[in-house]
Amino acid sequence: MSQFPHINLPLKAKLTFTANPVNVVPIPGGEILMNFASQPLITKLNSNLEIVWEKIMQGQNANYVSSKLSASPDGRLIAIAGMTDMRILNADGTQLLHTVEHGSWGWFLGAACYFSADNKTIWYVLPGDENETDELQVMDAQSFTVIASYPLLESQQHAYTFHATPDVSTILLEASAGQEQSTLMQLQLNDGVIKLTELGQCENVIMGNFAPSGKEFVMAPHYEGPVEIFSFPAIEKVAEQDQESIFAGSVDFPAAEPDNINFTVYFIDEQNLLVVSQFGRLLLLDRTSLLVKGEVMPEGIVFTAYDMEGNPTTNRDKIYDYSSNVINVMMVHGKLLLTTAEGELRSYELPV
């Protein structure tokens, strides 16, 4: 079996920071907002990754809970969800418009706010007190008054992630309990009442994204499971592929342990998906066959081989696994964005 064909991606732009970015949020005009793991700083970048402004926002970062950043689709509002409060600011971050104080989230927990596609509501999760559930709340984006609430899962056990869907009246909420368990829920707001439906068919898989058509979305596995594709809005499984088939023919990276999917699969377009592997590789999958078409090779991304004790090695017989300098892989404004261990944000064209 031959190695995967290589798809070289030239670097388009790069920016280096003194701390690792933890949230990269698209806003209108091709711009993005970012915040960082160890600094109470928010940075606005233009489409060329040039700094527009930087501001100290008093973000809270403790117990492995970084402040989570989000913005309204029209770019009018910014939300910062921290350990003990949620704050709404104006677009420039110069005016604090509203604050919701709450009990402290536990380690690795929390949730970013979600602004509805029509810019009318703000959705967020509050940590529950002992023996109570976490609570979902919906706020009016003009008056900042709470218009609906709903009890979620057991207190302080989950990290929550909101996902937009092609239907502006429907939101997906992912609740993850570490890396072992996750629940996907469908949310709708009807006449001031939240309707929540647990999607059992999507249990313990990790949300990727929707195809551009909005007719399908992809889910990544926990460890040994398959890649799964579901229809929308029916949310029925329409395709899957086991990892052994995906990585068959992978001879570029000899190791004692086989490579696997690292919790991340994205639709790039209707015909192609991008898999992020445990070794830090980017594999392009054909939608029809769900087999690898090629390995994406972004300029400047490097790999290090490690032995069983975690020490770097060049001895092929001692290689246990690999790691690249990539930390996060995102698709923002039609570009591939990578954050790296060196504190860089790197931009590439999509590999299609």
Side-chain angles (χ1 to χ4, degrees):
M1 293 181 289
S2 62
Q3 67 182 19
F4 298 139
H6 288 178
I7 303 170
N8 295 313
L9 287 187
L11 179 67
K12 293 297 182 181
K14 178 179 71 171
L15 192 60
T16 303
F17 301 95
T18 57
N20 287 323
V22 292
N23 295 281
V24 178
V25 178
I27 54 176
E31 297 180 320
I32 59 177
L33 295 173
M34 305 175 60
N35 69 328
F36 304 87
S38 58
Q39 296 179 348
L41 179 72
I42 292 180
T43 299
K44 182 177 180 179
L45 305 178
N46 64 20
S47 59
N48 296 318
L49 302 190
E50 298 168 331
I51 295 176
V52 178
W53 52 251
E54 293 182 302
K55 292 185 172 70
I56 299 295
M57 299 291 187
Q58 299 303 315
Q60 298 166 317
N61 302 277
N63 292 349
Y64 299 97
V65 179
S66 296
S67 294
K68 295 170 174 61
L69 183 67
S70 55
S72 59
D74 60 7
R76 185 178 63 89
L77 299 174
I78 299 171
I80 306 173
M83 282 191 65
T84 59
D85 65 22
M86 184 272 287
R87 287 167 290 149
I88 307 295
L89 301 96
N90 66 344
D92 294 327
T94 56
Q95 184 179 1
L96 178 63
L97 303 176
H98 187 72
T99 301
V100 176
E101 297 183 349
H102 55 72
S104 178
W105 284 105
W107 287 35
F108 300 104
L109 305 179
C113 297
Y114 175 83
F115 291 87
S116 62
D118 59 9
N119 297 292
K120 292 182 178 180
T121 57
I122 305 170
W123 300 61
Y124 55 96
V125 179
L126 303 180
D129 294 330
E130 187 176 0
N131 299 322
E132 295 183 2
T133 63
D134 298 333
E135 183 178 358
L136 172 67
Q137 292 191 351
V138 183
M139 176 187 294
D140 181 272
Q142 295 291 332
S143 65
F144 304 124
T145 56
V146 176
I147 58 177
S149 63
Y150 196 98
L152 289 174
L153 306 175
E154 54 268 87
S155 172
Q156 298 279 5
Q157 297 296 315
H158 297 84
Y160 297 92
T161 305
F162 291 96
H163 300 279
T165 77
D167 178 1
V168 297
S169 66
T170 301
I171 303 167
L172 297 181
L173 178 60
E174 187 174 17
S176 302
Q179 296 179 341
E180 301 294 337
Q181 182 181 8
S182 63
T183 300
L184 191 65
M185 296 164 278
Q186 180 176 278
L187 308 175
Q188 294 174 323
L189 183 66
N190 299 316
D191 297 325
V193 177
I194 296 172
K195 179 183 178 182
L196 184 151
T197 305
E198 288 198 21
L199 302 176
Q201 64 272 44
C202 300
E203 193 79 11
N204 296 330
V205 286
I206 303 165
M207 183 69 191
N209 69 343
F210 283 85
S213 67
K215 296 179 180 180
E216 295 181 335
F217 63 93
V218 63
M219 304 288 282
H222 280 284
Y223 302 109
E224 72 277 0
V227 170
E228 299 178 345
I229 295 177
F230 291 84
S231 63
F232 187 83
I235 312 185
E236 298 174 344
K237 188 189 297 187
V238 294
E240 69 174 48
Q241 183 63 274
D242 62 89
Q243 296 195 52
E244 184 178 359
S245 297
I246 291 173
F247 288 96
S250 175
V251 298
D252 279 351
F253 289 76
E257 282 292 301
D259 202 359
N260 56 78
I261 296 172
N262 192 30
F263 314 122
T264 305
V265 183
Y266 295 129
F267 268 104
I268 294 178
D269 58 20
E270 297 297 326
Q271 292 79 39
N272 298 279
L273 298 97
L274 188 69
V275 167
V276 182
S277 85
Q278 186 70 36
F279 290 175
R281 303 155 67 193
L282 306 180
L283 304 178
L284 191 67
L285 263 61
D286 175 74
R287 163 61 187 92
T288 302
S289 66
L290 293 181
L291 297 177
V292 176
K293 297 170 63 174
E295 182 162 352
V296 180
M297 310 295 287
E299 179 184 348
I301 301 306
V302 297
F303 292 84
T304 302
Y306 294 91
D307 62 22
M308 190 172 293
E309 285 72 41
N311 301 312
T313 182
T314 57
N315 186 333
R316 291 171 63 94
D317 295 331
K318 293 185 177 181
I319 296 174
Y320 183 76
D321 61 12
Y322 298 81
S323 178
S324 77
N325 56 336
V326 173
I327 295 178
N328 291 311
V329 178
M330 298 157 286
M331 291 194 302
V332 179
H333 291 312
K335 298 178 181 179
L336 182 68
L337 297 184
L338 308 180
T339 62
T340 72
E342 298 83 10
E344 296 176 340
L345 178 68
R346 304 173 68 92
S347 173
Y348 304 84
E349 298 296 336
L350 293 177
V352 292

